[in-house]
Amino acid sequence: MKFAFAGIDFLGGVFEALVESGWTPIKLFTRPCDGLYDHNETVVAQSRRHRIPMQLSRIKLADLDALAQAHGTDWALVVAGYPWLIRGWRNRAGYALNFHPSPLPVGRGPYPLFKAITDARSDWGVTAHVLAEEGFDTGDILAQETFAMAPQETHETLLAKCQIAARRLASGPIARDLPGRWRAAQAQGEGSYWPRVTDADRTLDFRSDVEAILRRMRAFGTIETIARLGDNRVFVAAAEGWREPHRHSPGTIVHRYRRHVVVAARDGFIQITRWSPVAVADAGQLGR
């Protein structure tokens, strides 16, 4: 099967898995990345390795027309980590499908992994579905893999689980029998849409209990959370905590040692061990 890939390194393993399964890439659609939270070096390297054209701008009808003129409809558009809604692929491509990092219909939206952890879900998954032309992540389900989430799940471990599952879906049911899966695709029904996170979602609330605060930190992982220490806002890279009765108001700084800061939470204390000031230019920078 010939395929065009639209995405970044986030689920770039799908590209590799399809190639390893014998599919032939014909074009890469990607987007500019900041190199901090978003990356596309691997998929760009793949495009160069296979000597296929690469496009950084949004897919337009003219781009789909060009592929249809060159390949007829004997190709698939495979989307994984692409931010723009793609319309007009029908009658130009034989198939169009998206890999989404959630057990649809739960968790539609740009990046549901953060909320999956802050909500303390017990399981999660990845879904391959027909690319809908109206509404993100709403197309009929082609294949899905679910897995358990650990009590101490982090953003990085959940991301790795999703990436591994996406590769398995790509090399398994999708690569082996996309036409059959297409004919048997199942409608999603009612679901939930989770919007892009904001700085408020990243901010630690010391009025919460210690467990909830540490869970929020695990949810954002290396992307880091935000905390208010006195009159300053800081990015929090690492912290620990413990439960202990006290009479301090939540958010009170109760101890400092070098760069370690202990802050009162509702039912204990949070010790922030690695942090950096939030610059004005950094406000609102969320990634993905």
Side-chain angles (χ1 to χ4, degrees), residues 35 37 54 85 92 105 113 115 117 120-121 135 147-148 154 158 167 184 202 231 236 240 248 258 273:
Y37 307 131
M54 179 184 70
L85 194 64
R92 293 176 173 87
L113 273 62
K115 184 172 169 59
I117 297 176
R121 296 188 64 91
F147 47 80
T154 68
L158 183 57
R167 283 191 65 116
R202 294 172 70 191
D231 295 329
V236 179
E240 300 166 293
H248 300 285
R258 300 174 72 85
T273 55

Side-chain angles (χ1 to χ4, degrees), residues 8-227:
I8 59 175
D9 291 355
F10 160 52
L11 291 179
V14 169
F15 185 112
E16 298 172 356
L18 293 174
V19 170
E20 291 167 2
S21 299
W23 285 33
T24 302
I26 56 176
K27 186 167 183 176
L28 168 66
F29 296 97
T30 187
R31 60 177 173 85
C33 294
D34 58 22
L36 297 173
Y37 307 131
D38 297 339
H39 306 268
N40 64 3
E41 295 95 335
T42 300
V43 292
V44 168
Q46 286 278 9
S47 72
R48 291 171 178 164
R49 175 188 171 194
H50 294 284
R51 298 181 180 179
I52 60 174
M54 179 184 70
Q55 179 174 319
L56 290 171
S57 58
R58 182 174 181 172
I59 296 174
K60 297 181 178 179
L61 280 180
D63 303 312
L64 300 175
D65 283 335
L67 287 171
Q69 290 170 8
H71 305 282
T73 57
D74 186 25
W75 62 283
L77 175 61
V78 179
V79 181
Y82 194 71
W84 297 301
L85 194 64
I86 302 170
R87 293 187 171 96
W89 61 266
R90 295 185 186 276
N91 301 318
R92 293 176 173 87
Y95 309 93
L97 59 150
N98 180 52
F99 285 78
H100 185 69
S102 87
L104 291 173
V106 174
R108 297 169 182 155
Y111 196 78
L113 273 62
F114 304 132
K115 184 172 169 59
I117 297 176
T118 57
D119 284 359
R121 296 188 64 91
S122 60
D123 56 77
W124 199 241
V126 174
T127 307
H129 65 89
V130 175
L131 188 66
E133 297 194 58
E134 298 296 333
F136 286 100
D137 312 317
T138 57
D140 294 352
I141 293 176
L142 301 167
Q144 186 175 87
E145 179 174 321
T146 58
F147 47 80
M149 286 181 60
Q152 300 298 309
E153 197 79 64
T154 68
H155 171 261
E156 281 65 43
T157 58
L158 183 57
L159 174 58
K161 289 179 180 180
C162 287
Q163 290 169 332
I164 292 168
R167 283 191 65 116
R168 280 196 293 256
L169 287 178
S171 61
I174 298 304
R176 294 173 187 169
D177 188 24
L178 178 57
R181 291 280 174 167
W182 195 266
R183 291 190 296 270
Q186 299 292 313
Q188 289 190 36
E190 293 296 320
S192 56
Y193 180 86
W194 296 357
R196 185 175 297 278
V197 297
T198 65
D199 271 0
D201 297 312
R202 294 172 70 191
T203 300
L204 303 180
D205 183 355
F206 294 111
R207 295 169 298 179
S208 303
D209 57 50
V210 168
E211 181 180 349
I213 293 169
L214 295 180
R215 185 168 60 246
R216 187 170 298 274
M217 285 202 58
R218 294 196 304 272
F220 287 91
T222 57
I223 293 171
E224 302 182 357
T225 50
I226 298 170

Side-chain angles (χ1 to χ4, degrees), residues 261-278:
V261 182
V262 178
V263 184
R266 187 176 71 188
D267 63 345
F269 299 98
I270 300 294
Q271 183 176 25
I272 299 173
T273 55
R274 285 196 294 116
W275 56 272
S276 59
V278 175

